[in-house]
Amino acid sequence: MANLNIDSIKDRTFDAIVIGSGMSGGWAAKELAEKGLKTLILERGRDVKHLKDYPTTNLYPWEFPHHGVVPSAVQEANPIVNRCYAFGEDAMHFFVKDAEHPYVQDKPFDWIRGYQTGGKSLLWARQTQRWSNFDFEGPARDGFAVDWPIRYNDIAPWYSHVEKFAGISGNKDGLAELPDGEFLPAFPLNAVENYFSKHVKDKYKGRHVISARCAHLSKPNQIHLDQGRGQCQERTLCQRGCPFGGYFSANSSTIPWALKTGNCTLRPFSVVHSIIYDEKKGKAVGVKVIDTNTKEAIEYFADVIFLNAAALNSNLVLLNSTSGRFPNGLGNDSGTLGKYVAFHNYSAHISAEYDGYKEWATDGRNPAGGGYIPRFRNVYKQETDFLRGYAAGFGAYRNNTRNSEGIGADLKHNLAKKELGGWSVGSHMMGETIPKESSYVMLDKDKKDQWGVPLLKISVDYDDNDAKMKKDYIEQMTEMFTSAGFTNIQAHTDTRAPGLDIHEMGGVRMGNDPKTSMLDKWSRLHACKNVYVTDGASMTSTSCQNPSLTYMAFAARAVDHWVNEKKKLNA
Amino acid sequence: MNRRIAIRNMALILGSAAVLPSCLGDKNNSKPIVELKHLQLNGDEQQLVANLAETILPKTDTPGAKDLNLHLFAFKMIDDCMNKQQQDDFKAGLKAFADAADAKYKKSFNDCTVAERTAFVNEAEKDIKDKAKDDAKMLTFYQTVKQQTVFGYTTSQYFMTKQVVYELVPGRYNAMYPAAKKEAV
């Protein structure tokens, strides 16, 4: 019996445990397994294998029961996730449904989740920009949150490392506020995007409209072919999972790569209850998992834990990991755990028309989505009555006019006409928000889920800074559109809740001072040095760039640090 | 369209809904064409929607609504993708539509000739253009059927392979493409 127990513990012991198999967890697992560590990946949802588990990927519109429309019963049962732009009949099986995993909204918060291997990396919008020193120096310069413990130079080589493997398309634009990376060829701007780019460059100092940089294999290198991935075929049906592996997802890239080493075990249906802290050893020794099907509690052990459960769930795991040493959550000596949560403000967009370049159209589809306008407000110095700034998307489109007038043969004729309309243009804002102590998550005191894990209570909100920034975005874009000769300019604002941006960050922030932050400059808990957090939870501030690329870089950098530390100890 | 494809398409459109044995052309038929989950329509009402869809997109030298099972698609969409309120409005509008046809032709829409149906629907089109208000319910019903019929048509295999070709795998993005070439495709 005793032997059996020892064997059982041995079977449940690894060199490293990675909690979460998504954007950042996939990277941690890949790096650990490549460096020879026996690694266990815990995924709370089901396994989704590349290609095999993309049931809708090759369906034509008419092959969907409702030709793409989400049935009203599904919509009514899922008011939250139904608000997500990618929640359609073709991809709804990859999203968490509202009733499956409830949470408590102290203030309105649309928490969009994907519980499966690969997590939301299957579903993301694939925009990938590096953060710059203007972002990492932001809190110190502008006096909010705490100083980032790193600068751009610390992370730059790791950006290169992940970009080469993931495959990022883009141009070397030479902008200090948006550093260049290791790029595959960019998806070019079309006639009107290009016109606007030139116009803005001529008229507005320090403002740029560039090809959006995105995680698509515009021209794969050997390292991508080695992953079994091929060139992007411009389907723009990415949310279904790509049969070509044309965009980066953990499913197509990091997870199979990690598994191929033979060093990695993936355990789906494993919700993490807590990280086990050993008071005598003064470190984390493992993870308590609940099998989501059998509800059996199982403990797994390892020298190091990488927590990559996605921003808010990583907060939840630490908050629920209590011990005599850490009664308020693992590593929470500072009392900052769960606090200083922020997000991106996407609540404004602008549309217009342009009466020119009628001789040009586009052919095929652009997976990058068009242009990107890096932040131009308050970059070199504070110049407005709000802190920080916003990036913006910019796209121009020209489609067939679909005329459904009349009936009978006339109607058939109208519908089949291949007559191009004029150009439409559009832009949306992506605003940095300021992390505040008053924006937090905590465990609900009473309510638990079916696996005995307390529900997360979310209390995150906009503030005056966001309102001022939104107003400025509309003013500046309206002026730039007017100046470019765009007509019928219409600004749209909405009252979306935080969360729908799917860029929630913070709660387990990095910082130099253990009294005011959770993680050190290597992304590990100040107070428990063998636990690393390298997903959105670790972000000290939010920048206005899309964050996934930065999570990937932090994950790879943290693994490298751990392995080097181990070497030093063993030497 | 060959029979095998027709059956497959029907199965795709209907999913779990059962097709009831009936003949679409039978004037005295009151048997429902299809059993719906939420929307309660009798046989005559279903025939009216089917005949209306065929009036909107009739068989010409190319397939019409009934050939493409667009009426079945419309039923499915209204049954699955509209909420209770919209379905109630649909039913009320259907009744108003049927009553208006009865009043005008002293026989049911289903018993009308193709020419009569076409004239009646053209009038509805005109009322919508003129923003006529007195028969709002009926026009909402009509627009719903038209919308779903047109949506079903423009997303049908026939349309997307024979009329305006949809490419699942473009394999290219040409950012600068001559408009003239695009319109000539």
Side-chain angles (χ1 to χ4, degrees), chain A residues 106-109 341-343 433-436 438-440 458-464 466 495-499:
Chain A
D106 197 42
K107 291 174 180 165
F109 189 92
V341 172
F343 57 100
T433 72
I434 306 294
K436 304 171 294 256
S438 59
S439 279
Y440 62 86
I458 305 175
S459 189
V460 174
D461 211 347
Y462 293 98
D463 59 26
D464 283 351
D466 301 320
T495 53
R496 70 180 64 201

Side-chain angles (χ1 to χ4, degrees), chain A residues 21-44:
Chain A
S21 67
M23 194 65 81
S24 64
W27 266 100
K30 169 196 170 286
E31 298 290 308
L32 288 161
E34 269 188 324
K35 289 174 199 279
L37 278 75
K38 295 286 173 199
T39 304
L40 173 68
I41 312 171
L42 296 169
E43 167 52 51
R44 67 172 299 160

Side-chain angles (χ1 to χ4, degrees), chain A residues 67-347:
Chain A
H67 294 198
V69 177
V70 177
S72 56
V74 179
Q75 293 198 34
E76 281 162 19
N78 295 282
I80 296 167
V81 68
N82 187 48
R83 284 193 279 270
C84 177
Y85 67 95
F87 188 75
E89 194 175 30
D90 63 343
M92 57 189 187
H93 48 288
F94 290 142
F95 286 89
V96 166
K97 308 303 176 296
D98 292 7
E100 289 171 350
H101 298 283
Y103 60 98
V104 181
Q105 298 181 61
D106 197 42
K107 291 174 180 165
F109 189 92
D110 289 342
W111 194 10
I112 309 298
R113 293 158 291 170
Y115 288 172
Q116 63 247 328
T117 306
K120 300 190 293 295
S121 78
L122 265 178
L123 299 162
W124 65 317
R126 311 164 311 281
Q127 298 286 308
T128 35
Q129 308 96 21
R130 291 187 177 199
W131 293 20
S132 78
N133 252 353
F134 298 108
D135 302 303
F136 292 113
E137 287 172 354
R141 188 193 80 177
D142 292 345
F144 66 95
V146 291
D147 189 13
W148 275 90
I150 64 146
R151 289 296 180 263
Y152 176 70
N153 284 343
D154 296 305
I155 193 88
W158 295 101
Y159 276 134
S160 291
H161 180 78
V162 298
E163 283 165 349
K164 282 181 205 160
F165 189 82
I168 308 295
S169 71
N171 286 316
K172 289 198 185 286
D173 298 292
L175 307 174
E177 65 275 32
L178 202 77
D180 291 333
E182 313 287 337
F183 293 141
L184 306 175
F187 292 93
L189 298 178
N190 64 34
V192 171
E193 289 162 354
N194 214 15
Y195 157 71
F196 188 58
S197 174
K198 288 202 174 101
H199 179 84
V200 168
K201 195 176 177 184
D202 291 346
K203 289 269 159 91
Y204 297 90
K205 191 173 171 289
R207 300 189 187 184
H208 306 274
V209 182
I210 63 170
S211 274
R213 300 168 180 178
C214 65
H216 281 259
L217 299 181
S218 51
K219 193 171 171 232
N221 290 327
Q222 189 59 42
I223 186 64
H224 308 119
L225 302 175
D226 291 347
Q227 296 167 41
R229 299 171 57 201
Q231 185 163 339
C232 169
Q233 297 297 312
E234 290 87 2
R235 295 173 6 126
T236 61
L237 301 171
C238 314
Q239 68 281 357
R240 301 178 181 183
C242 181
F244 302 98
Y247 72 94
F248 172 86
S249 66
N251 310 65
S252 68
S253 179
T254 47
I255 294 289
W257 193 266
L259 293 174
K260 211 169 64 180
T261 63
N263 292 327
C264 210
T265 308
L266 171 67
R267 192 183 199 284
F269 300 117
S270 305
V271 65
V272 169
H273 174 277
S274 51
I275 294 171
I276 306 160
Y277 182 77
D278 187 312
E279 313 245 344
K280 283 191 199 123
K281 291 179 179 160
K283 63 176 187 178
V285 292
V287 166
K288 180 181 169 185
V289 163
I290 314 290
D291 184 296
T292 58
N293 295 317
T294 65
K295 307 212 168 153
E296 182 193 2
I298 312 164
E299 294 183 341
Y300 290 96
F301 305 99
D303 297 333
V304 65
I305 316 290
F306 282 80
L307 179 52
N308 302 82
L312 298 190
N313 273 326
S314 287
N315 276 274
L316 172 56
V317 168
L318 291 179
L319 285 163
N320 202 40
S321 302
T322 53
S323 56
R325 167 70 182 84
F326 295 111
N328 301 315
L330 185 62
N332 191 16
D333 288 343
S334 63
T336 59
L337 176 58
K339 297 173 183 170
Y340 302 97
V341 172
F343 57 100
H344 282 160
N345 181 2
Y346 273 61
S347 66

Side-chain angles (χ1 to χ4, degrees), chain B residues 2-74:
Chain B
N2 86 37
R3 191 174 160 277
R4 193 185 292 264
I5 292 174
I7 290 170
R8 182 166 150 263
N9 285 350
M10 194 181 273
L12 283 169
I13 288 167
L14 294 170
S16 60
V19 183
L20 302 171
S22 99
C23 172
L24 295 184
D26 185 346
K27 285 180 186 172
N28 302 316
N29 186 354
S30 60
K31 278 188 207 154
I33 304 163
V34 62
E35 202 175 335
L36 301 170
K37 282 177 276 182
H38 311 288
L39 189 68
Q40 300 299 321
L41 297 180
N42 64 33
D44 287 342
E45 290 168 328
Q46 291 198 2
Q47 290 294 354
L48 186 149
V49 173
N51 287 327
L52 177 54
E54 185 67 19
T55 310
I56 293 166
L57 282 172
K59 185 184 186 74
T60 54
D61 54 340
T62 62
K66 286 184 185 176
D67 293 332
L68 298 171
N69 285 323
L70 298 181
H71 58 302
L72 299 181
F73 178 73

Side-chain angles (χ1 to χ4, degrees), chain A residues 516-537:
Chain A
T516 57
S517 62
M518 291 288 295
L519 304 170
D520 69 10
K521 65 178 175 181
W522 300 109
S523 310
R524 58 183 176 170
L525 289 171
H526 285 297
C528 183
K529 301 270 190 209
N530 66 336
V531 174
Y532 290 79
V533 184
T534 64
D535 61 13

Side-chain angles (χ1 to χ4, degrees), chain B residues 102-120:
Chain B
D102 280 350
K104 185 165 166 111
Y105 295 109
K106 310 295 173 219
K107 58 184 173 182
S108 77
F109 185 77
N110 290 336
D111 290 333
C112 285
T113 63
V114 169
E116 286 165 339
R117 287 177 195 162
T118 304
F120 189 72

Side-chain angles (χ1 to χ4, degrees), chain A residues 443-480:
Chain A
L443 302 182
D444 190 89
K445 286 191 177 63
D446 310 308
K447 298 189 189 94
K448 289 186 174 176
D449 67 16
Q450 52 175 311
W451 303 282
V453 179
L455 298 193
L456 197 66
K457 184 154 102 180
I458 305 175
S459 189
V460 174
D461 211 347
Y462 293 98
D463 59 26
D464 283 351
N465 199 64
D466 301 320
K468 286 178 186 163
M469 192 188 292
K470 185 166 163 176
K471 187 166 164 281
D472 188 68
Y473 164 80
I474 290 168
E475 285 169 4
Q476 296 304 312
M477 288 308 295
T478 302
E479 195 210 296
M480 286 154 74

